[in-house]
Amino acid sequence: MNHLLEEIMQERLRQARISFNLAMTATALSFGVSLAGAGLLFTNQFPEGTVTTIGGLASSAHFIRLAKDANDRLDGLLKELTD
């Protein structure tokens, strides 16, 4: 039981690191896409700018939600094992 708990904690740490790196990468990409969208908006290309900006924000939100879901599942499993 102790070994299983330790493995889950190690997996939780591994996924937390991956989730953090993914969230940072998605945030950086979203920032870049949003800048591109703002550039398109400033050059009077409104439809392309709007689509680009919304796409960047939506992809960032999706990656962050996936990372949070994985962390929540591991937290739930960890809680079950320690109760």
Side-chain angles (χ1 to χ4, degrees), residues 4 8 11 17-18 22 24 34-35 37 39 41 45-46 51-52 55-56 60 65-67 72 74-75 80:
L4 180 61
I8 290 172
E11 179 65 14
R17 285 185 196 103
I18 291 170
L22 181 62
M24 292 301 292
S34 296
L35 281 179
L41 288 172
Q45 296 177 351
F46 293 109
V51 169
T52 303
S60 179
R65 186 174 61 239
L66 283 175
D72 289 346
L74 285 170
D75 285 343
E80 284 179 25

Side-chain angles (χ1 to χ4, degrees), residues 34-60:
S34 296
L35 281 179
L40 289 171
L41 288 172
F42 282 127
T43 59
N44 292 327
Q45 296 177 351
F46 293 109
E48 295 88 349
T50 302
V51 169
T52 303
T53 303
I54 290 172
L57 294 174
S59 64
S60 179

Side-chain angles (χ1 to χ4, degrees), residues 8-18 74:
I8 290 172
M9 290 173 64
Q10 290 298 321
E11 179 65 14
R12 172 71 172 92
L13 286 172
R14 186 185 73 79
Q15 287 192 12
R17 285 185 196 103
I18 291 170
L74 285 170

